[in-house]
Amino acid sequence: MPDAAVVIAEEPEEGETRRIILTFPNNQLAAALFGALDLHLRLVEQRMGVELHPVGNRVTLIAAPERARPVQQLLLALYAALEQGQNVDLARVEAGMLALELPEGSADPLSEQCLLRTPLREIHPRTPRQAEYLRELNRSPVVFAIGPAGTGKTYLAVAAAVMDFVEGRTARIVLTRPAVEAGEHLGFLPGDLQDKVDPYLRPLYDALHDMLGFEKVERMLSRNQLEIAPLAFMRGRTLTEASIILDEAQNTTVEQMKMFLTRLGEGSRVVVSGDITQVDLPTHRRSGLAHAVEVLRRVEGISFVWFTHRDVVRHPLVRRIVQAYEEAAAREGMAEGRGA
């Protein structure tokens, strides 16, 4: 239990502006709340349109009334999380701001339902769509996550799979993707079969190392608790008590997608992620992901979550690049419609 409460004082300010002073009783927790070089406060200023002036264990909030109260609520909630021993980083601050923006009845990004605890880090959703995605992962045995790069589709799916494994809800994790070159012909690759397919699976290894560490990943691989393999290796199998993730699903054929989805066994969950605007198949082959959207959209037990450029959580420039391509595709579609 905290030794003392946060002291909140409001001073009059000219016009409609509010000036609220928050004094936090624990200096170390206050420093963690503000972030290194006050980075957390700077992020809140930028996103929420307020002023935050920290001095010691005190921060002065200057904002319009409609913004002052939500930001005060955010800072108090983050400080309370620190008092409970939880970690507060940039992702947690963004999740807190997201919680303020969600309509009533939406999944709270700071709730236990939306918190993914992996051995090396806690992971929160950073957009409303990511919060919806985690909610669907908790209740649907098959989830399709469709949208542009950088929206966290695969990363969050891997985090959910790691959490299920660590907490004993599944016995293994199976990660797969089609071995299709992204518009390039790489030619002969040296090494054994694993060496040849590893470049295609590297993003999955990176996510696992981020959450479990290199040594833990290697131990799970040696014990067959973790399998990372090309999609072709899934044929003829039934996968039970497993978290199964198909990445880059837009590069499956219709036949491969059907084959993959029918691997689902008792106690398993399937996540299919991909971007139907980045298909690397030969022009005469139809994407299995696009076909599955049409065929399975009304099947009970299957959920679809659609991401857009607004959900990109990489560098801000990536969001603008994705948005530009989306707008260009929309213009081209309208032009084709007029031409028809």
Side-chain angles (χ1 to χ4, degrees):
M1 296 294 293
D3 295 331
V6 178
V7 176
I8 304 173
E10 185 166 349
E11 297 181 354
E13 192 77 8
E14 292 185 5
E16 293 296 319
T17 305
R18 294 288 185 269
R19 182 185 182 92
I20 301 172
I21 301 174
L22 303 174
T23 304
F24 300 95
N26 186 305
N27 290 348
Q28 290 184 331
L29 296 184
L33 172 64
F34 300 165
L37 301 176
D38 301 326
L39 190 59
H40 297 167
L41 299 184
R42 301 290 81 83
L43 178 62
V44 175
E45 284 185 322
Q46 179 183 6
R47 287 275 296 275
M48 302 298 293
V50 301
E51 293 182 36
L52 293 169
H53 303 284
V55 177
N57 64 335
R58 175 183 300 177
V59 62
T60 301
L61 164 63
I62 303 174
E66 66 273 12
R67 295 184 179 273
R69 294 308 176 192
V71 172
Q72 175 183 318
Q73 176 188 347
L74 170 65
L75 296 177
L76 293 176
L78 293 173
Y79 185 80
L82 287 165
E83 287 184 313
Q84 296 166 13
Q86 300 177 27
N87 181 50
V88 170
D89 55 11
L90 283 173
R92 185 67 181 264
V93 175
E94 288 192 345
M97 290 188 288
L98 167 59
L100 300 176
E101 300 169 5
L102 290 175
E104 188 174 351
S106 300
D108 181 358
L110 296 180
S111 70
E112 288 297 315
Q113 184 185 28
C114 288
L115 172 62
L116 298 174
R117 287 193 177 93
T118 67
L120 295 186
R121 63 177 55 207
E122 290 183 353
I123 298 167
H124 297 269
R126 296 168 66 178
T127 73
R129 193 70 67 198
Q130 286 189 350
E132 176 192 345
Y133 183 33
L134 293 186
R135 183 176 57 198
E136 294 301 329
L137 289 176
N138 283 328
R139 69 185 186 185
S140 298
V142 177
V143 178
F144 282 78
I146 303 171
T151 52
K153 305 182 301 295
T154 302
Y155 192 84
L156 290 175
V158 172
V162 168
M163 184 172 168
D164 282 346
F165 176 81
V166 169
E167 297 185 356
R169 288 189 289 272
T170 57
R172 56 179 167 163
I173 301 172
V174 180
L175 309 178
T176 185
R177 66 190 307 188
V180 176
E181 297 166 352
E184 303 171 83
H185 297 287
L186 303 180
F188 173 78
L189 292 174
D192 59 19
L193 181 60
Q194 194 64 44
D195 292 329
K196 295 176 190 297
V197 301
D198 272 357
Y200 298 102
L201 305 171
R202 180 51 51 190
L204 301 176
Y205 280 107
D206 291 343
L208 286 166
H209 290 156
D210 199 27
M211 300 167 197
L212 291 167
F214 181 82
E215 293 183 359
K216 177 67 172 177
V217 169
E218 293 303 308
R219 284 199 302 272
M220 290 177 64
L221 286 168
S222 66
R223 297 170 182 172
N224 293 322
Q225 296 170 325
L226 171 63
E227 180 178 352
I228 307 177
L231 181 59
F233 285 23
M234 299 296 108
R235 188 172 298 277
R237 303 176 60 186
T238 300
L239 301 172
T240 60
E241 297 183 2
S243 292
I244 312 157
I245 301 171
L246 170 59
D247 189 31
E248 298 291 340
Q250 74 275 5
N251 289 329
T252 62
T253 64
V254 172
E255 296 78 12
Q256 285 175 324
M257 178 62 75
K258 179 182 177 182
M259 177 274 292
F260 171 76
L261 292 174
T262 54
R263 302 309 94 199
L264 180 65
E266 291 293 326
S268 291
R269 177 175 63 192
V270 163
V271 179
V272 179
S273 72
D275 179 0
I276 55 178
T277 69
Q278 295 195 45
V279 177
D280 299 312
L281 292 170
T283 54
H284 66 280
R285 301 302 299 271
R286 189 177 186 191
S287 167
L289 179 58
H291 181 260
V293 170
E294 297 176 8
V295 173
L296 303 175
R297 65 168 62 248
R298 292 181 178 85
V299 175
E300 184 178 354
I302 298 179
S303 298
F304 290 85
V305 181
W306 295 86
F307 294 85
T308 71
H309 67 271
R310 296 181 181 87
D311 303 298
V312 173
V313 293
R314 290 180 183 167
H315 192 284
L317 184 56
V318 176
R319 182 183 295 117
R320 296 195 289 272
I321 291 171
V322 172
Q323 181 179 6
Y325 274 100
E326 288 179 355
E327 292 171 352
R331 290 193 300 270
E332 290 170 4
M334 292 175 62
E336 290 177 2
R338 288 193 296 269

